[in-house]
Amino acid sequence: MKISNPRLFPTALAFGKRSSKDAFLAFIVKGTFGIGARNSVAQEAPQQLPILKADEPYDTKNPGGLLRFESDLVAFKPRADIVLVGNAYAPGGRGAKSVEVKVQVGRTLKIMAIFGDRVWSFPSADQSAPLQVGPAEFVKMPLTYDRAFGGIDEHAQVSAKTPRFRPWFDRNFFGRGFIGARTVASIHKKPLPNIEDPTWLIRTWDSFPP
């Protein structure tokens, strides 16, 4: 096999089997691109990230924590990955309460609504439903899963009568904003996510965005 790699992107080979008789060889090529502050078009990064042989967390002292990068050595992958690692910035470096982030690679387009910190609050004892307080202004916001919807509600309990409500959001344990019980303890001062889907914004305390 002859490999042509004029851009000198990092490459690797992975071997595997789909069955006892069906072995295959996977060729992995990884490109790293950067987006500058004044240029919205990604440019090939001068320093290419290496092929990662294991998951890499943000906190290297906590292997089970939030991942920065996943391992590249996946033997079978039907399509390419698009991985964005970075931050959202307020225009002009001035504080903003919300911004919109768009990322497009080919025909794949993702749009995110980014908000400053917000919390649910019962402003008075006779308030029947909580209100959103905020958003606060921000200049820089990490685009990470702990800023998206999800998390664990330590005040909630599993109930067979209300299967929709549970103590965690199984699609994102690291996130924020998930409310598992209709109680003041679960709702009051609960942080809302900073990253939302603009087509499915959180309007009420019991919103469950995908």
Side-chain angles (χ1 to χ4, degrees), residues 136-158:
E137 291 187 349
F138 70 94
V139 175
K140 175 182 176 181
M141 183 65 65
L143 298 177
T144 50
Y145 277 101
D146 59 339
R147 297 283 180 171
F149 181 77
I152 299 172
D153 184 352
E154 66 274 13
H155 299 290
Q157 296 180 352
V158 177

Side-chain angles (χ1 to χ4, degrees), residues 3-13 26-33 44-53 72-73:
I3 299 173
S4 177
N5 185 20
R7 291 185 178 271
L8 301 179
F9 286 147
T11 60
L13 297 175
F27 175 69
I28 300 171
V29 58
K30 179 177 180 178
T32 305
F33 299 82
E44 184 178 328
Q47 182 177 358
Q48 293 291 307
L49 296 177
I51 299 290
L52 298 179
K53 298 181 180 180
D72 296 309
L73 297 184

